[in-house]
Amino acid sequence: TWYIGMTNAPDSFNPLFNPGIAGQFAIRFMYDTLLGMPEPNKFTPQLAESFESQDNQNFTIKINPKAKWTDGTPVTAADVVYTLNLIANPKVETSKGTYINMLEGVDDKGKLVSGDAIPGLAAKDEKTVVFKTKAPVDPNYLKSMLGFEVYIVPKHVFKKIDPAAIANSEVATKPTVTSGAYK
């Protein structure tokens, strides 16, 4: 059992929808992001072993080969691609859209312009994610937004839920499979 002193109760444990500070604070202990940010514009590996670009528009993320979900399943590039596509899905209730709105194929709210997947976003192999932004971006901005603010979800758990029903599902409100230090 772990106790956290808070002035407000967490509004949600949903890694895709957490507008309140208390919820975000609590979720950080359950779900990892791609990068940690111990101080402004200083990034440390979390789920991502590396987060790189040669032109500030085409990015490659290498997933830590040791990263696992609490059920023992490895964290993969497919989990990252799935998470970003969930956020972009117009049916999904999320507070994370503005953290991915720089990606090619999504609008200013981070929702898909057309189709059912973000174009250019792919799992190149089990541990490598590639994606493209609309225009070149400051890598620190991208790392801060997409790398530090987006919690990656376990595809093998979330894919069982209709995207429109995720917000109120037990998968999101009472998570049992997480990647962080606690569950």
Side-chain angles (χ1 to χ4, degrees), residues 108-126:
D108 289 343
K109 294 180 182 175
K111 294 299 181 180
L112 288 168
V113 174
S114 64
D116 59 357
I118 299 170
L121 170 65
K124 191 173 172 183
D125 60 40
E126 195 168 287

Side-chain angles (χ1 to χ4, degrees), residues 5-153:
M6 298 180 145
T7 56
N8 299 352
D11 54 353
S12 170
F13 291 126
N14 181 343
L16 302 172
F17 184 78
N18 44 37
I21 298 298
Q24 291 174 31
F25 181 78
I27 288 170
R28 282 221 184 268
F29 292 100
M30 294 184 283
Y31 289 95
D32 281 330
T33 53
L34 293 168
L35 300 169
M37 187 169 49
E39 58 184 274
N41 292 327
K42 300 290 181 197
F43 300 96
T44 57
Q46 275 195 229
L47 291 178
E49 186 175 67
S50 65
F51 197 116
E52 299 174 353
S53 177
Q54 298 298 318
D55 62 3
N56 295 340
Q57 188 169 11
N58 294 283
F59 289 83
T60 301
I61 299 170
K62 293 282 189 181
I63 304 301
N64 181 333
K66 295 178 182 176
K68 293 190 184 298
W69 298 105
T70 53
D71 66 359
T73 305
V75 175
T76 67
D79 293 310
V80 177
V81 169
Y82 179 76
T83 300
L84 298 178
N85 278 317
L86 265 184
I87 293 168
N89 185 328
K91 296 177 184 175
V92 174
E93 184 178 6
T94 181
S95 58
K96 299 295 181 182
T98 56
Y99 299 123
I100 68 162
N101 69 1
M102 74 293 291
L103 297 180
E104 188 172 71
V106 300
D107 63 19
D108 289 343
K109 294 180 182 175
K111 294 299 181 180
L112 288 168
V113 174
S114 64
D116 59 357
I118 299 170
L121 170 65
K124 191 173 172 183
D125 60 40
E126 195 168 287
K127 295 292 184 177
T128 308
V129 177
V130 295
F131 62 89
K132 185 176 184 179
T133 58
K134 296 173 189 172
V137 297
D138 178 343
N140 285 334
Y141 171 76
L142 187 66
K143 289 175 180 180
S144 176
M145 298 304 237
L146 190 147
F148 180 69
E149 294 293 345
V150 174
Y151 305 102
I152 305 304
V153 302

Side-chain angles (χ1 to χ4, degrees), residues 14 91-93 160-173:
N14 181 343
K91 296 177 184 175
V92 174
E93 184 178 6
K160 299 173 187 172
I161 309 296
D162 174 31
I166 287 175
N168 296 316
S169 71
E170 284 205 7
V171 166
T173 60

